[in-house]
């Protein structure tokens, strides 16, 4: 089947080194679709978990992928590896937790400080 040969095999590396996948995707699949799949298949035993696809950032080849990009566009640097599994790194940044963390830092008085002297 020629369609099957065109599928791109991806796995998603989580913060603790474990993986989700590998799964096969059409090159026309969008990054937003990948994020939805990650949220749906997220392991239940993890302390940090995304609540929605917007909480997930995908990193491939050192670049954060935009939701409107397709798998085919993200795969371009790996054109020489047609049968290899591409690993994308997953970063979870819940918007609510991030806002709370920033608020705690702003509200807390600074107890520790550092001073430098140039002689």
């Amino acid at each position: 089947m020629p369609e099957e040969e065109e599928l791109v095999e991806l796995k998603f590396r989580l913060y603790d080194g474990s993986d989700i996948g590998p799964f096969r995707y059409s090159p026309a699949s969008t990054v937003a679709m990948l994020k939805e799949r990650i949220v749906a298949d997220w392991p239940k035993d993890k302390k940090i978990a995304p609540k929605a696809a917007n909480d997930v950032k995908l990193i491939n080849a050192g670049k954060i992928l935009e939701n409107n990009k397709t798998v085919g566009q993200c795969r371009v640097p790996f054109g020489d590896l047609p049968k290899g599994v591409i690993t994308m790194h997953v970063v979870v940044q819940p918007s609510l937790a991030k806002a709370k963390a920033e608020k705690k830092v702003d509200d807390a008085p600074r107890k520790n400080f550092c001073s430098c002297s140039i002689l």
Side-chain angles (χ1 to χ4, degrees), residues 11-14 38 56-62 87-91:
K11 68 179 176 179
F12 305 100
R13 178 79 28 100
L14 306 182
I38 290 168
V56 175
K57 302 251 185 271
L58 284 180
I59 301 172
N60 185 35
T87 302
M88 293 187 177
H89 294 270
V90 179
V91 177

Side-chain angles (χ1 to χ4, degrees), residues 18-72:
S18 62
D19 293 331
I20 296 176
F23 302 112
R24 293 175 160 246
Y25 294 94
S26 161
S29 300
T30 64
V31 171
M33 295 166 79
L34 301 180
K35 290 179 178 184
E36 291 292 335
R37 175 80 183 257
I38 290 168
V39 171
D41 290 348
W42 194 268
K44 304 296 181 209
D45 61 339
K46 303 289 181 202
K47 291 180 182 180
I48 300 172
K51 292 186 179 11
N54 288 337
D55 294 346
V56 175
K57 302 251 185 271
L58 284 180
I59 301 172
N60 185 35
K63 295 181 181 175
I64 296 175
L65 305 180
E66 298 172 25
N67 287 344
N68 60 349
K69 296 283 185 187
T70 65
V71 170

Side-chain angles (χ1 to χ4, degrees), residues 73-100:
Q73 291 170 322
C74 299
R75 187 176 182 260
V76 173
F78 300 102
D80 297 337
L81 303 171
K83 294 189 180 187
V85 177
I86 298 170
T87 302
M88 293 187 177
H89 294 270
V90 179
V91 177
V92 179
Q93 292 183 324
S95 53
L96 183 61
K98 195 163 88 174
K100 284 184 180 178

